[in-house]
């Protein structure tokens, strides 16, 4: 038998190329039905926008004698633009090395641009369901913080179950610790390090089942909890980097308001959403009927879409088993689980029920998309190209950066909508 060594892939690895094939799909869900249905405009100029808001009827009525009259109550809601960005850095040599598909899975010029816009749109979807504070989750107050903030031993914090939504937390996102939050809302807190970048933390892992989040970075507050040892308090939480209390208004803020002001107007009967407490029970059709009819009675128009998270959607499917629509043509309602859609029959006709991962898991929103408007500064959401190019050079570094963003605010007329809250998850 010959002992000669043949030419083979194993022996002559230097002669063979490796063929790489890029994936054809993202490994995450970035869809948002509501983003595509709300009104958007790019004409927000000036310091602020004042929006006429009629809160009562005009005149006076009576019988027998000529009645006295009063003017109608007309107020001005006020909105100011909020700054929202997505930013990416690109090594210039990497840009050259990956200038074609021969050198990389994706062309370096197109790939970072695509991912930056995706990141911005994901954040806009999250904000649309938020309360304007930016809080992504709050501590559970029970499980001790561990770790050292390094890549090998990250800080591990446990978030509470009541308002946990895994969609708010993404690996590689940069966040900040906020402490001193009010017990009943996400106001009153202070971000560790303020506007400095010293105490920013990178999410390295998220475990949905245990609600544990791994964080890499410097945080004296977390280090003190590790030394305790102590848990992350329920009055502490995580927010996007340097964004606490500076995000646009969202559904949770506008539709759950019961006091104070909203867009500068006092929250009251004509300026408040229909709110029905689920009392920590499971969803039943009668609850949905209650919200839908109350909104129509209070506002004069019915909601034209219902949105919930996957957990509540699953329960609604079981409740509305006889209203599933199988393979119906020319339907705009796209469902899941192998059928085209689920509809709720209201007094004004069928209303589509949609699922969105950013919707809080204990809430179902009953919305009229005609009364949700996003006002942008001129240009809308766009690449910052003041130098006539997307990629900008950074000072003293061989790195390029690109910025995508908008100056905007969401204007949500609260009385046009309803929310079923405090549902069992």
């Amino acid at each position: 038998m010959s002992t000669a060594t043949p030419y083979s892939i194993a022996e002559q690895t230097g002669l063979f190329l490796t063929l790489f094939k890029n994936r054809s799909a993202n490994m995450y869900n970035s869809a948002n039905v509501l983003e595509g249905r709300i009104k958007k405009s790019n004409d927000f100029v000036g310091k602020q926008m004042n929006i006429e808001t009629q809160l009562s009827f005009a005149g006076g009525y009576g019988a027998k004698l000529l009645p006295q009259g009063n003017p109608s109550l007309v107020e001005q809601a006020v909105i100011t633009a909020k700054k929202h960005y997505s930013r990416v850095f690109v090594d210039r040599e990497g840009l050259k090395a990956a200038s074609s598909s021969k050198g990389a899975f994706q062309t370096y010029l197109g790939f970072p641009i695509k991912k930056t816009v995706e990141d911005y749109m994901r954040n806009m979807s999250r904000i649309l369901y938020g309360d304007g504070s930016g809080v992504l989750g709050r501590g559970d107050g029970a499980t001790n913080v561990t770790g050292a903030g390094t890549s090998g031993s990250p800080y591990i914090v446990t978030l509470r179950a009541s308002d946990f939504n895994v969609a708010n937390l993404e690996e590689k996102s940069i966040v900040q610790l906020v402490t001193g939050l009010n017990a009943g809302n996400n106001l009153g807190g202070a971000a560790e390090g303020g506007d400095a970048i010293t105490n920013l933390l990178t999410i390295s892992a998220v475990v949905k089942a245990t609600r544990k989040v791994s964080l890499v970075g410097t945080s004296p507050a977390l280090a003190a909890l590790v030394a305790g040892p102590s848990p992350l308090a329920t009055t502490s939480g995580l927010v996007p980097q340097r964004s606490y209390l500076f995000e646009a208004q969202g559904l949770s803020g506008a539709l759950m308001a019961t006091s104070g002001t909203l867009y500068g107007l006092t929250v009251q009967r004509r300026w408040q959403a229909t709110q029905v407490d689920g009392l920590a029970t499971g969803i039943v059709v009668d609850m949905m009927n209650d919200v839908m009819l109350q909104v129509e009675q209070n506002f004069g128009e019915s909601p034209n879409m219902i949105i919930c998270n996957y957990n509540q959607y699953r329960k609604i499917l079981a409740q509305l088993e006889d209203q599933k629509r199988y393979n119906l043509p020319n339907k705009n309602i796209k469902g899941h689980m192998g059928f085209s859609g689920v509809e709720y029959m209201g007094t004004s006709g069928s209303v589509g029920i949609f699922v969105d991962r950013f919707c809080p898991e204990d809430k179902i929103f009953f919305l009229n998309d005609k009364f949700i408007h996003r006002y942008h500064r001129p240009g809308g959401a766009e690449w910052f190209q003041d130098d006539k190019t997307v990629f900008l050079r950074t000072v003293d570094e061989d790195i390029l950066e690109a910025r995508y963003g908008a100056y905007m605010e969401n204007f949500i007329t609260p009385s046009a909508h309803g929310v079923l809250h405090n549902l069992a998850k």
Side-chain angles (χ1 to χ4, degrees):
M1 183 176 181
S2 173
T3 59
T5 302
Y7 279 90
S8 67
I9 293 178
E11 292 295 330
Q12 302 294 322
T13 56
L15 296 177
F16 292 90
L17 298 175
T18 301
L19 178 64
F20 294 99
K21 184 69 174 179
N22 60 295
R23 286 190 179 272
S24 60
N26 293 327
M27 296 299 105
Y28 45 82
N29 176 2
S30 58
N32 185 335
V33 174
L34 186 57
E35 275 286 332
R37 289 185 52 160
I38 65 173
K39 293 189 289 186
K40 302 181 181 72
S41 58
N42 303 330
D43 57 357
F44 186 177
V45 295
K47 178 182 178 181
Q48 63 188 36
M49 180 180 289
N50 289 38
I51 303 172
E52 175 190 322
T53 306
Q54 301 180 28
L55 298 174
S56 77
F57 292 98
Y61 56 89
K64 184 181 178 180
L65 299 176
L66 192 65
Q68 300 299 306
N70 275 321
S72 63
L73 180 60
V74 180
E75 301 282 357
Q76 292 187 7
V78 178
I79 64 171
T80 56
K82 307 298 193 303
K83 301 177 181 180
H84 293 285
Y85 310 103
S86 190
R87 189 183 186 191
V88 65
F89 293 94
V90 178
D91 176 70
R92 190 172 183 275
E93 182 186 4
L95 189 66
K96 296 289 187 180
S99 59
S100 74
S101 59
K102 294 180 180 179
F105 297 117
Q106 307 272 357
T107 57
Y108 221 35
L109 187 62
F111 189 66
I113 291 177
K114 174 185 175 184
K115 305 312 289 184
T116 303
V117 174
E118 281 184 355
D119 189 47
Y120 176 84
M121 293 307 299
R122 184 199 74 84
N123 195 42
M124 285 295 99
S125 298
R126 178 190 62 79
I127 289 170
L128 188 53
Y129 288 94
D131 61 3
S133 70
V135 173
L136 305 173
R138 295 169 64 146
D140 73 342
T143 309
N144 289 340
V145 178
T146 61
T150 64
S151 56
S153 178
Y155 291 121
I156 299 178
V157 301
T158 305
L159 303 182
R160 69 184 185 184
S162 60
D163 50 11
F164 178 78
N165 187 347
V166 70
N168 292 338
L169 304 157
E170 291 288 345
E171 287 80 358
K172 303 300 289 184
S173 291
I174 301 175
V175 297
Q176 197 170 11
L177 183 69
V178 62
T179 57
L181 297 170
N182 295 339
N185 58 48
N186 288 324
L187 304 178
E192 184 180 26
D195 291 338
I197 64 173
T198 308
N199 302 125
L200 300 186
L201 304 162
T202 297
I203 297 177
S204 61
V206 180
V207 182
K208 179 181 178 180
T210 58
R211 307 183 307 282
K212 293 185 181 298
V213 181
S214 298
L215 303 164
V216 176
T218 301
S219 170
L222 291 180
L225 294 178
V226 173
S230 301
L232 186 66
T234 58
T235 53
S236 297
L238 300 176
V239 296
Q241 53 179 317
R242 303 189 295 177
S243 300
Y244 178 56
L245 297 181
F246 281 92
E247 291 189 344
Q249 185 60 271
L251 294 170
S252 292
L255 304 192
M256 289 299 295
T258 59
S259 61
T261 61
L262 177 65
Y263 302 118
L265 300 182
T266 301
V267 175
Q268 41 104 339
R269 183 171 70 98
R270 299 289 187 191
W271 193 243
Q272 183 176 354
T274 296
Q275 302 161 353
V276 175
D277 192 337
L279 302 175
T281 61
I283 178 65
V284 294
V285 174
D286 185 57
M287 292 180 180
M288 300 174 67
N289 294 339
D290 189 15
V291 180
M292 288 289 291
L293 293 173
Q294 282 198 51
V295 173
E296 183 176 359
Q297 181 183 33
N298 296 337
F299 185 70
E301 289 191 33
S302 294
N304 58 13
M305 64 187 306
I306 299 171
I307 295 185
C308 59
N309 207 308
Y310 286 88
N311 61 326
Q312 301 299 341
Y313 193 67
R314 174 178 56 82
K315 297 174 184 179
I316 291 174
L317 293 182
Q319 293 282 326
L320 303 180
E321 179 67 28
D322 60 338
Q323 294 187 44
K324 292 180 182 178
R325 299 293 189 263
Y326 292 92
N327 301 318
L328 293 180
N330 302 320
K331 298 292 287 185
N332 293 322
I333 302 171
K334 299 299 181 183
H336 296 268
M337 310 292 285
F339 51 87
S340 296
V342 174
E343 297 174 345
Y344 169 90
M345 295 305 298
T347 60
S348 301
S350 62
V351 178
I353 302 176
F354 302 94
V355 62
D356 196 305
R357 68 194 185 107
F358 288 104
C359 183
E361 293 186 348
D362 67 334
K363 295 180 177 67
I364 298 177
F365 291 112
F366 298 74
L367 306 176
N368 189 327
D369 58 17
K370 294 185 298 182
F371 297 94
I372 304 175
H373 198 136
R374 180 172 297 163
Y375 291 98
H376 292 98
R377 295 293 193 187
E382 60 182 351
W383 289 102
F384 296 179
Q385 302 184 67
D386 301 291
D387 298 326
K388 308 302 180 184
T389 178
V390 170
F391 284 103
L392 310 172
R393 288 179 293 180
T394 58
V395 178
D396 297 328
E397 294 289 345
D398 190 21
I399 293 175
L400 303 176
E401 68 166 288
R403 304 170 186 175
Y404 188 86
Y407 314 111
M408 47 71 68
E409 177 62 291
N410 295 319
F411 184 69
I412 303 167
T413 302
S415 47
H417 316 285
V419 57
L420 181 54
H421 64 96
N422 192 26
L423 289 167
K425 290 187 175 184

